[in-house]
Amino acid sequence: MPPLITSSDLAALLDTSSSAERPVVLDVRWRLGGPPGRADHDRAHLPGAVFLDLDTELADPPGPAGRHPLPTPQRLQDALRRAGVHDGSRVVAHDDGDGVVAARAWWLLRWAGLPAGRVAVLDGGIAAWVAAGLPTTAEPSRPEPGDVTVRPGGMPVLDADGAAALARDGVLLDARAAPRYRGETEPVDPRAGHIPGALNAPAADLVGPDGRWLAPEVVAQRLAALGVAAEGGADVAAYCGSGVTAAALVLAAEHARLRPPEQPIALYSGSWSNWSADPERPVATGAAP
């Protein structure tokens, strides 16, 4: 599978694959500030889809490492096994539409050691599925437990010092909306602004009004304008508010064919929630890096 899969292609895989090859579908709907996505899942979800909670299963509890620290391998493994994921599974994650939360699940699956060709995000999320006239159900999904073993380290991760170095010597992309980058507003974290030297690259600008990702060549053009090179360029990493939305930029570089799966851009997992909580870390405001 490519990193993005259409509703029609996913439906075909669910209908025609053998039980061993049928993709596991993860519903990871979540919104900053709520309401929780589980209620939406309970009302209507893709047949067989299992809900995973971003706050409690795809992240550790908030603390010094940020609002959504990477989950311990055991926490993630327990969640994936509950969802029926095996070491050889194909897995598709979806959210409400724009893919940024699903990208966190995609990134974690890759970090956990699943091969790139076995993990994807549903392009357009459940909204695209419903718009295509495909079925949903309120029937609870009860898959047989999986046996996947989480082997962390499959994706590059930076801490605050690494992000600072890359902002100075490479390309550090800030995936948040422009007003938060400029420091005009900060709804959740201790201080407003951005990491000095970081470039604003709002993840929401890489999807269309329908929640589907822009064409690879369009995404490539936008990322290239920020210094993301296909080969031979500067090292690149991404961050956001808490390490969730930035995963979409990692996916974007692969979708745009600027980075092959074996050379993904890095993720500052603590992101702004980690950086801004440290009073010793400098903060920049305004539109300039």
Side-chain angles (χ1 to χ4, degrees):
M1 294 186 294
L4 295 173
I5 187 170
T6 65
S7 295
S8 58
D9 285 347
L10 176 57
L13 287 175
L14 292 172
D15 286 343
T16 63
S17 298
S18 67
S19 59
E21 281 293 295
R22 189 173 297 119
V24 176
V25 179
L26 304 179
D27 181 345
V28 295
R29 282 177 276 184
W30 178 87
R31 305 171 194 87
L32 182 64
R38 185 178 291 277
D40 291 336
H41 174 87
D42 290 343
R43 281 191 293 269
H45 54 265
L46 276 64
V50 176
F51 182 81
L52 293 187
D53 183 66
L54 171 64
D55 292 320
T56 62
E57 295 180 299
L58 302 182
D60 263 9
R67 284 186 285 111
H68 289 112
L70 296 185
T72 63
Q74 189 64 53
R75 181 186 298 270
L76 181 59
Q77 182 170 286
D78 289 346
L80 296 179
R81 288 186 175 187
R82 180 180 68 79
V85 179
H86 297 268
D87 283 322
S89 291
R90 290 191 285 194
V91 186
V92 176
H94 79 81
D95 52 30
D96 281 317
D98 65 8
V100 298
V101 181
R104 164 72 170 219
W106 171 88
W107 187 94
L108 283 172
L109 288 160
R110 293 275 299 277
W111 174 77
L114 274 71
R118 309 291 289 184
V119 183
V121 166
L122 176 59
D123 195 10
I126 194 170
W129 180 272
V130 171
L134 294 164
T136 60
T137 181
E139 181 178 352
S141 303
R142 297 185 176 90
E144 290 293 322
D147 62 3
V148 67
T149 299
V150 168
R151 301 175 176 88
M155 298 288 265
V157 180
L158 295 181
D159 60 11
D161 288 340
L166 207 59
R168 182 180 62 250
D169 302 324
V171 177
L172 182 64
L173 303 177
D174 185 323
R176 297 173 300 161
R180 287 186 72 189
Y181 171 85
R182 293 193 296 262
E184 296 166 4
T185 181
E186 182 45 67
V188 285
D189 291 317
R191 292 185 288 167
H194 60 267
I195 296 173
L199 303 171
N200 195 205
D205 290 353
L206 301 180
V207 297
D210 59 358
R212 292 179 175 87
W213 285 69
L214 301 178
E217 58 272 17
V218 176
V219 176
Q221 183 179 36
R222 294 187 181 187
L223 293 180
L226 294 167
V228 183
E231 56 182 277
D235 290 337
V236 183
Y239 79 97
C240 56
S242 65
V244 174
T245 304
L249 294 185
V250 182
L251 189 153
E254 191 168 312
H255 168 60
R257 305 186 185 96
L258 289 174
R259 290 298 182 96
E262 61 273 15
Q263 294 179 328
I265 68 173
L267 178 73
Y268 171 23
S269 57
S271 285
W272 187 247
S273 61
N274 169 246
W275 182 281
S276 63
D278 183 350
E280 300 300 317
R281 297 283 177 187
V283 170
T285 56

